[in-house]
Amino acid sequence: MTKFSKLWLTSLLILSFASGCSSTNTAPVDKGKGEEAIKTDPATIKMAVSNNMFTEEDFAKYVSEPVKKKYPHITVERINTSEKGSSMTDLIAAGTVPDIVGYYPGNLSNINDLNLTFNIEDLIKKHRFDTSRIAPEVMETVKIASNQSYIVGFAAYHNPFGLFYNKDVFDRMGIPYPKDNMTWDDLKELSVKITRVDNGIQYRGLYPDFLYRGARQLALPYADFQTNKSLLNTDPWKDLFQLWSSMYEISGMTAGDYKMLNYGKNEQAFIKGELAMLAGYSNTLNALKKAPDVKWDVVTYPSNKKAPGVAHRVDSPVLAITSQSPNKDAAFQVLETILSDEVQTDMVRNGRMTVLNSQKVKDEFGKGIPEFNGKNLIALTKPKMAIISQIKYLNEGEVDKITNNAFQSVINKEKDINTALREADELLNKHIETQLKNIK
């Protein structure tokens, strides 16, 4: 067995057994005699989050209002990092350090680069917060993504993934609808049957999205951090390239405007009734809410045979308390409130997946959206979440560009898979060298 195979096998074992064990669980503890009292002085907590994590309306609904109700002495203010001049780099340069910052897992290590990292485990004990309420794969992802051995924050919610299908397209073709627990291979066969020109219209079967979706589902490692070398030019990545490209090689799948991979365009094609299946995520519910005439439903996200029952990796805004916060008790109480059953249930009812283990909370998914009555939305909550693979010092956005460009060149028949992977491997090694120089 090669060194890479061992690394990859370890990742898959973590996926399989994360629900049974986790080193991050912290059971409630008794308060000691000498323990510091929890402050109740009036406090204003500044939380820096992007607009796609919490809109102003959602922030009020899921953060500031429930916190004020539970802890009247705490006021929570939102800093929208999506606004020009309000990025974390801009804020710190201006001398404004928020009490809480939000990052998605792929960028969570930024807190280390910005000297914001804080170990919240003492606060967990002090506030008697039971981390076993949170899904272990979520807790493990936070640790791996932060590059720390301790807990730096909590995930607020999860963006779940599913397979959306347009009933009109299936009815037109006389083909049965997809079902829960189908694999990419199953759906590729279905896509072949659907993809055709009918009455002058090009109908397409399945849009699986970018290659990195498949990589994150398998928790494929980008690099070996012992040798600081790329792992892109290896069999597991080659296998994924072959699977993913086979779904686009179906005649007609990349016709016309769909030569370049683009989720938004394919979402619109799905709504228009020219794409039968869209492997997507919960944000698509917002688009479908605005298209009441579309006859659609959803089943579980397609699984890879190498990771059965696993959908996409944890896709959650992680809220971390900064080391500079002067109000850490109040900041923790904000996190505690967001993770309460009440707030999590409210989020779930409105289309955001809980990070809690509670099946009772999960069962409420989408029930607050009357437009979706009768839809199989519970399918988005069924699969396991994959755990993030180690990123360390890599810029995940840059790595995704490398793999996506390589894959696009294969789809465009500009390069074969071996050439694309070899060149991508070289580019990633250059990125690794650059990142290591920056660290030094």
Side-chain angles (χ1 to χ4, degrees):
M1 182 179 286
T2 66
K3 187 170 185 179
F4 176 80
S5 298
K6 291 178 180 177
L7 282 169
W8 188 50
L9 181 58
T10 299
S11 296
L12 289 183
L13 287 174
I14 290 174
L15 293 177
S16 300
F17 297 110
S19 59
C21 60
S22 175
S23 60
T24 60
N25 289 351
T26 305
V29 297
D30 292 330
K31 187 174 180 179
K33 291 182 180 179
E35 187 174 307
E36 181 186 352
I38 296 171
K39 296 179 181 179
T40 57
D41 298 332
T44 297
I45 299 300
K46 296 183 184 297
M47 181 187 292
V49 288
S50 64
N51 203 53
N52 66 346
M53 292 179 183
F54 288 101
T55 63
E56 187 174 356
E57 180 183 357
D58 287 344
F59 188 82
K61 186 173 185 179
Y62 304 126
V63 184
S64 60
E65 290 175 4
V67 168
K68 180 60 70 174
K69 182 178 179 181
K70 188 173 182 180
Y71 298 108
H73 66 287
I74 301 175
T75 299
V76 192
E77 295 180 354
R78 169 179 172 263
I79 299 175
N80 181 8
T81 57
S82 300
E83 290 182 351
K84 187 176 180 180
S86 293
S87 70
M88 282 306 304
T89 304
D90 294 328
L91 293 174
I92 291 174
T96 302
V97 181
D99 299 274
I100 298 172
V101 296
Y103 283 106
Y104 276 93
N107 298 312
L108 184 57
S109 64
N110 286 356
I111 61 174
N112 302 319
D113 301 332
L114 297 172
N115 296 315
L116 302 175
T117 314
F118 177 71
N119 183 345
I120 68 169
E121 291 180 0
D122 284 343
L123 286 173
I124 290 172
K125 294 176 182 177
K126 182 177 180 181
H127 290 260
R128 303 181 184 182
F129 185 86
D130 184 5
T131 60
S132 67
R133 293 174 56 242
I134 302 173
E137 56 267 40
V138 173
M139 294 298 295
E140 192 65 22
T141 290
V142 171
K143 271 193 175 182
I144 294 171
S146 67
N147 291 330
Q148 300 294 346
S149 61
Y150 50 79
I151 302 170
V152 300
F154 293 133
Y157 59 84
H158 172 62
N159 295 307
F161 286 68
L163 179 75
F164 297 89
Y165 64 93
N166 189 307
K167 291 183 175 181
D168 281 339
V169 179
F170 279 88
D171 291 343
R172 183 183 186 89
M173 306 296 178
I175 297 173
Y177 302 147
K179 300 177 181 179
D180 284 344
N181 305 316
M182 297 184 80
T183 65
W184 292 112
D185 296 283
D186 295 332
L187 293 167
K188 181 176 66 176
E189 293 178 13
L190 198 53
S191 183
V192 170
K193 295 177 182 177
I194 293 171
T195 305
R196 68 181 81 163
V197 175
D198 188 322
N199 199 26
I201 298 174
Q202 174 68 66
Y203 291 93
R204 296 178 303 127
L206 167 69
Y207 180 71
D209 207 359
F210 291 95
L211 178 86
Y212 71 80
R213 296 296 188 196
R216 291 176 182 175
Q217 182 177 46
L218 293 174
L220 287 185
Y222 301 115
D224 181 340
F225 295 106
Q226 297 295 319
T227 61
N228 293 317
K229 294 296 182 182
S230 167
L231 288 172
L232 294 184
N233 196 17
T234 53
D235 287 343
W237 277 95
K238 184 176 181 179
D239 290 345
L240 179 63
F241 260 68
Q242 290 172 336
L243 170 64
W244 229 248
S245 63
S246 71
M247 293 186 278
Y248 286 102
E249 287 169 354
I250 299 168
S251 180
M253 271 305 300
T254 56
D257 292 337
Y258 304 105
K259 181 178 181 180
M260 299 299 290
L261 305 188
N262 182 290
Y263 187 85
K265 278 188 178 181
N266 282 278
E267 185 178 75
Q268 288 306 307
F270 177 83
I271 290 171
K272 192 177 178 180
E274 295 178 359
L275 175 68
M277 297 175 285
L278 176 68
Y281 55 109
S282 53
N283 275 3
T284 290
L285 294 174
N286 295 325
L288 291 170
K289 192 175 179 180
K290 298 173 185 176
D293 295 333
V294 178
K295 295 178 182 177
W296 64 276
D297 212 333
V298 62
V299 292
T300 55
Y301 192 71
S303 65
N304 191 303
K305 291 178 180 178
K306 294 179 179 178
V310 176
H312 198 266
R313 84 174 189 201
V314 174
D315 188 42
S316 306
V318 179
L319 305 177
I321 297 175
T322 64
S323 57
Q324 293 87 345
S325 171
N327 300 301
K328 292 185 175 65
D329 276 332
F332 189 87
Q333 287 169 324
V334 171
L335 302 188
E336 176 188 59
T337 303
I338 294 170
L339 289 169
S340 66
D341 283 0
E342 294 77 13
V343 172
Q344 289 287 300
T345 299
D346 200 13
M347 285 188 185
V348 167
R349 288 180 60 81
N350 289 288
R352 286 178 168 171
M353 178 57 180
T354 185
V355 293
L356 303 181
N357 288 315
S358 172
Q359 191 61 47
K360 181 180 178 182
V361 175
K362 292 178 185 178
D363 287 345
E364 292 297 307
F365 190 82
K367 290 185 179 179
I369 310 173
E371 294 90 339
F372 298 159
N373 284 345
K375 303 295 184 185
N376 185 35
L377 293 186
I378 198 67
L380 279 76
T381 75
K382 290 179 178 179
K384 298 176 185 176
M385 293 175 279
I387 295 172
I388 194 171
S389 59
Q390 282 195 334
I391 297 173
K392 293 287 187 179
Y393 49 76
L394 298 179
N395 181 313
E396 190 176 47
E398 291 300 314
V399 178
D400 285 342
K401 284 181 185 177
I402 292 171
T403 59
N404 286 337
N405 289 340
F407 184 68
Q408 186 72 60
S409 72
V410 171
I411 297 305
N412 294 348
K413 301 189 183 306
E414 298 164 352
K415 297 171 187 174
D416 59 47
I417 290 175
N418 289 332
T419 302
L421 277 174
R422 186 181 67 252
E423 293 179 358
D425 196 67
E426 292 170 358
L427 288 173
L428 180 53
N429 277 324
K430 289 180 181 178
H431 175 68
I432 290 171
E433 289 175 11
T434 300
Q435 293 298 97
L436 289 175
K437 286 179 182 176
N438 291 337
I439 292 172
K440 293 175 182 179

